[in-house]
Amino acid sequence: MSAPLLQVIEVEKTYGSTAALRGISFEVHEGELFGLLGPNGAGKTTLLSILSCLAEPTRGEVRLLGKTILPYDLDIRRQIGIVPQELALYDQLTASENLIFFGELFGLGGAKLRERVRQLLTAVGLEQRANHRVVTFSGGMKRRLNLAAALVHQPRLLLLDEPTVGVDPQSRNLIFEEVRRLHREGLTVVYTSHYMEEVEALCSRIGIIDGGQLKACDSLPKLLNMLRGCIRCRLSEVTLELREKLATLPGCTLLDFSDEKIVLDCDDVKTSLLRLVGILNESKIELIHLETQEPNLERVFLHLTGHALRD
Amino acid sequence: MRVIWTLARKELRLLLRDRLATGLLVGMPLLFILVLGTILGEGFGKKPDDTLRISIVDLDRGVGLNGKPWGHWVYEDLRQTQGIRIERIATLEEAETLIARHRRAAILVLTPEMSEKMSSCSFLDTPGSINPFHREGVYLDRVGAVLLKDDGQKAAAAIIEQVVQVTMLRVILPYMIGQAFLKLKEPAFIDRLGESVRIPLPNDFPTLVQSARKLLVDPRVKAARFLDKELDKTLKVMEDKLNTFEPITQQELVQLAELLHLAAGKDEARALDYRDRVGKGVQSALEKQFAKYNLMGMTWANLTKTVSSSEGAVVTEFVNQEGSGLIRRGSHLYQLLVPAFTVMFSFFLVLSVGWVFVTERRQGTLKRLRSAPVTRGQVLLGKLLPCYLVSLGQGIVLLLAGRVLFGMRWGPEQWSFWMQAGWLLLVIVCTSLAAMGLALLVASLARTEIQVALYGAVPVLVLALIGGCVLPREMMPPETEKLSLFTPHGWALDAYRELLTVASPNLAIVLESCGVLALFGIGFLVLAWGLLRLD
């Protein structure tokens, strides 16, 4: 594995007596699409503020390319692109004026910048609206432009703070596509969201944050492996023979076997279900009702934090 | 520097793209200036004057006393009157306009006929002589003077008329007395005196005449005259005299004229000499009798033998400061209103700057700016520079509009255009610096639009009021007037007033004001730098 691009080491952040972050540590490797999942108020934005040189950690350290991120370090800012949660755009400027302005702040200029702006507008589907003022844009269009503004200077690390809040499905898909494209091109992305599906769909590795603490940080399969699946079914009849057969099913634990209902806890729901169906056929027992439950991030989050993501 | 220019260009673009706001930056002060310029009186901005103003139009070019027109002597008398202010108006048309517009309660007009009419004033009841007096004073029309009066200001006009009456009396009366005194030497007066004055003869004179007559008819005297021819000749003369004297010995009182006639005999030269002596005698006697006065002085000062101990009246030339047309273009008012509202509205930019910062924070772009490779100083300068340029532009446009629209003067006429513009630009530059300093201070304190409005509008309005933008300092009580020096507005207006209303500006005052404005600006900026937080 390549050396980590971003290292977050025991980062704490307190505001007065309130601890926003409590000893968070993780690493993000070059070209990785890292998801940070957590409910509102979990500390995601605070963490991103520290990652984007906007705030200093109270304790701990953040390193980018091995160099500690400090708020006054202008050079390191050139490596980072941030998509803030709020729309950080000038309403009275056009889309291209916004991008040119942010590009110039990063030292770009001339034809190269104009070409870069054109490419970005095309990428986010706004090339037709390049010379329109942002105030005339829909929420989704603004979100897409918000993303483009963070990319104009071609950063090494892209930080996205809830980039799809209040976005229509079409714009959301465009943003996803753009993020995936950037990831394919090798850009390192930290994507924060409280939408589990987004993180599941996009991120190769996910950190679960709650109450300022990183509860877990791993690849999606490994996170899902923390929990087992479940098969619930109602049968025409239940026999002792069936019970014995189910008890020997590999990777399964029979939790309930009463009346005409059985509950199986299993490592792999799909495999276990195929085997269960085979046993029922052999035993000439009719399957009246079937319910399966595979492990997902929602359940993982509940498992880790004791409350649901949207509580 | 490139980053600052990038930031500044963006701010400038945003500021100017809001056309309504940009228009209001210039339109609002112009509207205020226009409305106030149209409705305010010419006394606006001037210290209330407790002296009475006597406006005078002197059209008299005739020959009056001592070779000078009588208008000159009327003016001189007024000039030596303490406690009044004389305003000389060049033409009758201007005077009539001022009365018609109720700008003056009364104006004294000395007509071209004045010298001729005044010279005809006399106590004599001779053809062509003018009696200028009546019970209340002087008939102004009889002496070639007219008092134009505004019917709407009767009380003020009556006061002015009284002053005029006194002056006219002081001018006419000594002249008429002097003229009358000169008449005492004239034959006509001596004749009249001779006829009028009757004096008794000495008691023994008739007896003496009778005795002489008896003596002449005595036979012994007759015999002697017959023998002595010389004696006869002498007594002949005596006899003739007795014939002459005998008639008056019959009268109790004898006319002075008869006595003079008797004294002169048939000698005409002697008769004239005697009459002249009588005239001089009367004059001399009167002079001695009324020794406190010089009855032939011809002027009040000579008549009363006094010298004015007062400094006299303040004299000013009337200059049409009201302007012309509907908006009173060229009115002196604009010399005060344009700088006042230029200063006032340059500080209203405080709100714009405050909003620029708050908006940046609210819309999240401040976060993006802070995450860009831009220093805090660059962000601040990038924001202040365009606002400063807008402030400069606002000041320049308003002063240009003042010149073009309102006919305002940019400085003393003896200065070149570029000199006038240069000094005004210096004041604009320093005023804008102070305004931007205050703007940044407000921006450093306010976190929301409401706070900007409160922290910005309230101080800006209060400072404008104290500083003299709304009510000129000249119209404030002395204590409040001093307070204005604690405001940048007050110093800015001091500089403008020196350049725009003084004939020969004291440039030291302008430089001092600009220096203080710069200090205000720097002080505000330093304070704001310490307080401003971009997170």
Side-chain angles (χ1 to χ4, degrees):
Chain A
M1 185 170 277
S2 60
L5 181 90
L6 178 71
Q7 292 171 283
V8 179
I9 306 160
E10 289 295 321
V11 167
E12 291 182 15
K13 181 72 182 176
T14 54
Y15 295 103
S17 59
T18 306
L21 298 174
R22 304 174 192 202
I24 287 185
S25 298
F26 64 89
E27 290 179 349
V28 179
H29 292 268
E30 182 102 49
E32 195 176 7
L33 207 168
F34 182 79
L36 208 51
L37 179 70
N40 290 329
K44 302 189 297 295
T45 302
T46 304
L47 183 57
L48 245 59
S49 293
I50 292 169
L51 299 186
S52 53
C53 305
L54 296 175
E56 246 181 317
T58 310
R59 205 165 291 126
E61 188 183 2
V62 179
R63 289 182 189 163
L64 183 70
L65 293 165
K67 192 178 173 188
T68 301
I69 292 179
L70 294 169
Y72 47 81
D73 190 338
L74 301 187
D75 284 336
I76 215 152
R77 294 183 191 184
R78 295 180 202 280
Q79 311 297 329
I80 301 167
I82 180 166
V83 181
Q85 191 170 338
E86 58 272 34
L87 291 163
L89 299 165
Y90 297 103
D91 278 354
Q92 294 302 322
L93 297 185
T94 65
S96 59
E97 283 172 344
N98 264 286
L99 296 187
I100 287 170
F101 168 68
F102 289 119
E104 285 177 343
L105 283 188
F106 282 88
L108 306 177
K112 193 177 171 187
L113 175 60
R114 285 197 295 278
E115 177 56 22
R116 174 76 183 146
V117 167
R118 193 192 61 73
Q119 285 172 359
L120 281 170
L121 289 173
T122 305
V124 296
L126 292 172
E127 69 275 20
Q128 300 296 321
R129 305 295 299 268
N131 295 317
H132 290 217
R133 289 194 197 179
V134 173
V135 72
T136 64
F137 286 13
S138 68
M141 291 160 81
K142 286 179 183 175
R143 282 281 165 202
R144 279 140 58 193
L145 187 62
N146 205 29
L147 172 62
L151 297 168
V152 69
H153 61 290
Q154 295 181 295
R156 295 280 299 272
L157 173 65
L158 179 65
L159 305 172
L160 295 116
D161 190 4
E162 310 256 11
T164 58
V165 171
V167 168
D168 58 278
Q170 188 194 350
S171 290
R172 178 180 295 204
N173 287 337
L174 272 168
I175 290 171
F176 283 4
E177 277 176 30
E178 180 61 11
V179 171
R180 283 195 187 104
R181 188 186 65 78
L182 292 166
H183 178 231
R184 278 198 304 275
E185 288 177 359
L187 181 66
T188 310
V189 180
V190 175
Y191 189 105
T192 77
S193 178
H194 64 272
Y195 293 124
M196 184 186 60
E197 317 82 59
E198 288 184 4
V199 177
E200 268 184 341
L202 289 171
C203 303
S204 50
R205 218 154 55 86
I206 297 163
I208 293 175
I209 186 169
D210 185 52
Q213 287 179 302
L214 192 66
K215 298 289 185 181
C217 181
D218 217 327
S219 64
L220 182 62
K222 285 184 179 171
L223 284 174
L224 295 180
N225 274 346
M226 292 171 75
L227 294 180
R228 305 183 79 193
C230 185
I231 299 171
R232 288 189 180 88
C233 51
R234 197 150 58 83
L235 307 172
S236 56
E237 60 176 321
V238 289
T239 62
L240 281 174
E241 185 190 353
L242 179 65
R243 180 177 182 155
E244 284 171 5
K245 283 181 180 175
L246 290 178
T248 59
L249 263 177
C252 286
T253 309
L254 186 60
L255 295 179
D256 192 9
F257 189 91
S258 57
D259 300 328
E260 292 160 355
K261 190 174 76 177
I262 60 168
V263 177
L264 280 169
D265 189 13
C266 39
D267 293 337
D268 186 345
V269 173
K270 283 176 187 166
T271 309
S272 300
L273 185 59
L274 285 172
R275 286 175 181 157
L276 173 64
V277 171
I279 291 170
L280 291 176
N281 283 339
E282 282 174 19
S283 308
K284 309 279 188 208
I285 295 172
E286 192 181 347
L287 183 62
I288 297 169
H289 176 78
L290 176 68
E291 191 180 312
T292 62
Q293 193 174 32
E294 287 196 87
N296 59 24
L297 272 178
E298 181 76 44
R299 287 184 60 216
V300 170
F301 190 86
L302 181 66
H303 171 73
L304 290 170
T305 66
H307 59 86
L309 189 59
R310 293 184 181 87
D311 278 353
Chain B
M1 198 62 206
R2 190 181 163 192
V3 169
I4 294 171
W5 175 235
T6 297
L7 287 161
R9 208 176 47 202
K10 182 263 295 179
E11 290 300 341
L12 207 54
R13 190 175 277 164
L14 287 173
L15 284 168
L16 297 179
R17 202 156 273 183
D18 189 349
R19 286 181 187 156
L20 179 63
T22 311
L24 285 177
L25 283 177
V26 175
M28 281 291 282
L30 281 180
L31 185 66
F32 273 82
I33 292 166
L34 179 66
V35 171
L36 290 173
T38 310
I39 63 173
L40 286 176
E42 68 165 314
F44 179 77
K46 294 177 182 170
K47 263 199 182 309
D49 197 345
D50 52 4
T51 56
L52 179 68
R53 176 174 55 193
I54 305 292
S55 302
I56 180 168
V57 185
D58 184 5
L59 304 173
D60 184 19
R61 301 288 177 272
V63 178
L65 188 63
N66 296 340
K68 290 180 179 171
W70 275 109
H72 164 81
W73 296 106
V74 173
Y75 166 73
E76 277 299 309
D77 185 88
L78 283 168
R79 198 181 60 76
Q80 289 169 18
T81 306
Q82 194 175 15
I84 65 167
R85 187 157 55 96
I86 302 171
E87 179 189 55
R88 293 175 70 105
I89 299 171
T91 65
L92 181 61
E93 290 72 25
E94 273 180 328
E96 286 172 340
T97 306
L98 287 169
I99 291 294
R101 290 186 182 173
H102 312 291
R103 305 291 184 203
R104 298 289 184 278
I107 298 173
L108 175 64
V109 180
L110 309 180
T111 67
E113 297 80 40
M114 178 172 230
S115 281
E116 188 187 339
K117 289 187 173 180
M118 287 280 279
S119 297
S120 300
C121 289
S122 171
F123 291 118
L124 297 179
D125 187 17
T126 53
S129 69
I130 293 172
N131 173 20
F133 301 122
H134 62 105
R135 188 187 167 282
E136 277 82 26
V138 177
Y139 291 111
L140 294 180
D141 56 333
R142 292 188 186 180
V143 295
V146 178
L147 190 67
L148 301 176
K149 288 189 273 190
D150 174 19
D151 287 342
Q153 304 180 70
K154 286 184 176 168
I159 294 169
I160 292 169
E161 185 166 14
Q162 287 309 306
V163 175
V164 169
Q165 282 288 345
V166 170
T167 283
M168 295 310 288
L169 272 174
R170 279 200 301 251
V171 172
I172 298 170
L173 202 56
Y175 169 70
M176 287 174 66
I177 291 171
Q179 284 297 104
F181 210 77
L182 286 174
K183 295 284 182 193
L184 297 182
K185 284 201 307 185
E186 289 185 4
F189 173 75
I190 303 298
D191 288 345
R192 195 164 289 173
L193 185 73
E195 287 168 11
S196 303
V197 176
R198 290 168 183 272
I199 49 178
L201 292 170
N203 286 337
D204 296 336
F205 187 70
T207 312
L208 183 65
V209 170
Q210 281 175 4
S211 300
R213 176 66 70 189
K214 282 178 183 173
L215 188 68
L216 287 174
V217 295
D218 187 280
R220 285 169 292 179
V221 172
K222 281 183 176 176
R225 286 176 71 181
F226 181 75
L227 292 173
D228 188 345
K229 294 296 177 192
E230 283 300 315
L231 177 66
D232 180 58
K233 208 180 273 184
T234 304
L235 291 176
K236 190 86 175 163
V237 173
M238 185 179 164
E239 198 171 8
D240 289 343
K241 291 288 178 190
L242 284 174
N243 289 337
T244 308
F245 292 154
E246 208 157 28
I248 65 170
T249 58
Q250 309 300 316
Q251 302 169 24
E252 273 185 42
L253 297 170
V254 184
Q255 285 184 329
L256 176 63
E258 280 184 275
L259 289 176
L260 289 173
H261 179 69
L262 286 175
K266 291 176 181 172
D267 188 342
E268 280 302 315
R270 188 177 289 172
L272 282 173
D273 179 48
Y274 287 168
R275 292 208 314 237
D276 189 49
R277 287 187 193 184
V278 169
K280 286 180 178 170
V282 171
Q283 283 180 334
S284 173
L286 285 172
E287 278 178 346
K288 286 174 183 168
Q289 182 68 28
F290 304 107
K292 287 182 185 172
Y293 299 92
N294 176 5
L295 298 175
M296 286 196 293
M298 298 294 181
T299 65
W300 187 259
N302 289 341
L303 174 68
T304 55
K305 296 184 176 177
T306 52
V307 179
S308 176
S309 58
S310 70
E311 291 179 359
V314 175
V315 180
T316 56
E317 294 295 328
F318 169 77
V319 180
N320 186 353
Q321 297 183 326
E322 293 188 34
S324 58
L326 191 64
I327 63 166
R328 295 162 69 186
R329 194 173 181 281
S331 167
H332 180 73
L333 274 175
Y334 293 119
Q335 301 296 115
L336 305 170
L337 290 175
V338 173
F341 285 95
T342 301
V343 171
M344 184 170 165
F345 277 85
S346 73
F347 281 86
F348 265 96
L349 273 175
V350 165
L351 297 172
S352 303
V353 176
W355 281 322
V356 161
F357 276 87
V358 168
T359 305
E360 193 88 75
R361 188 176 282 127
R362 182 175 47 73
Q363 67 190 8
T365 41
L366 191 60
K367 188 179 272 187
R368 220 190 262 286
L369 287 185
R370 288 174 54 230
S371 67
V374 180
T375 64
R376 182 170 178 265
Q378 286 172 325
V379 172
L380 294 184
L381 279 175
K383 290 197 169 300
L384 273 185
L385 193 63
C387 294
Y388 186 69
L389 289 176
V390 168
S391 177
L392 287 182
Q394 184 196 37
I396 291 168
V397 168
L398 286 176
L399 288 177
L400 268 173
R403 188 181 174 99
V404 176
L405 293 179
F406 304 121
M408 172 198 172
R409 285 176 294 104
W410 271 8
E413 285 170 10
Q414 66 270 23
W415 284 11
S416 70
F417 170 80
W418 293 112
M419 190 173 176
Q420 292 175 341
W423 280 100
L424 287 177
L425 189 63
L426 178 67
V427 182
I428 295 173
V429 164
C430 294
T431 307
S432 294
L433 180 63
M436 286 307 104
L438 184 62
L440 194 61
L441 186 59
V442 168
S444 69
L445 296 172
R447 312 291 288 183
T448 65
E449 276 91 345
I450 298 281
Q451 286 179 359
V452 170
L454 281 174
Y455 298 159
V458 173
V460 163
L461 279 173
V462 170
L463 287 174
L465 277 170
I466 298 172
C469 291
V470 180
L471 186 70
R473 285 210 324 233
E474 288 74 8
M475 299 173 83
M476 294 178 181
E479 310 80 53
T480 320
E481 207 174 324
K482 284 175 193 159
L483 263 183
S484 68
L485 295 178
F486 290 97
T487 69
H489 302 63
W491 288 96
L493 289 179
D494 267 1
Y496 277 124
R497 186 175 47 193
E498 197 62 28
L499 290 172
L500 299 177
T501 64
V502 177
S504 301
N506 183 346
L507 294 178
I509 292 176
V510 180
L511 287 173
E512 184 193 27
S513 299
C514 289
V516 175
L517 282 169
L519 284 176
F520 264 115
I522 292 165
F524 286 145
L525 285 172
V526 168
L527 203 57
W529 181 265
L531 292 171
L532 188 70
R533 293 179 62 84
L534 291 180
D535 53 3

